[in-house]
Amino acid sequence: MDETENINSAQLAARQRLSANMKVLRGKRELSQDALADRAGLHRTYISQVERQLVNVSLDNLVLLAVALGVSVTELLVEPSEAAIPVKPGRKRTSTRAER
C-alpha cells in the first residue's frame, strides 16, 4: 500500500465519521437537512453532499456545522458510538396552524 492509498483511506474514514455523526446529531435534535442548513448558513444540497460523503468539507464549514449542531468540531470527527436516528424530510415547523 503506497502513501496515496493511505491518505485516501484516511480521508474516506474521516468523511464516514463526519457523515455518521451529523446524522446521529440531526436525529437527536429532530432536525431535517433543511433546518440544519438554515442554522449553519449553508445550502441544503451541501448538507446532503456532506452526509453522502461526496464533498471535502472546509474547516470553516466544519465549524459552522458544529455550532449549528451545538457540539465541538472534535465531536463531529470521532468514531460514532450509535446509529443514526431517521428524521422525516422537510422543514420543522416552529408553530402549528392553530397558533398562527
Side-chain angles (χ1 to χ4, degrees), residues 24-74:
V24 167
L25 292 165
R26 276 195 321 103
K28 285 182 174 182
R29 287 153 179 77
E30 298 183 352
L31 290 172
S32 66
Q33 288 179 341
D34 283 329
L36 176 58
D38 285 345
R39 283 184 176 197
L42 300 167
H43 197 275
R44 179 197 51 80
T45 58
Y46 180 75
I47 301 298
S48 172
Q49 291 171 336
V50 172
E51 288 190 355
R52 290 181 291 137
Q53 306 162 34
L54 300 177
V55 294
N56 181 20
V57 178
S58 73
L59 182 58
D60 290 344
N61 286 347
L62 194 57
V63 170
L64 290 173
L65 290 167
V67 169
L69 289 165
V71 298
S72 68
V73 170
T74 57

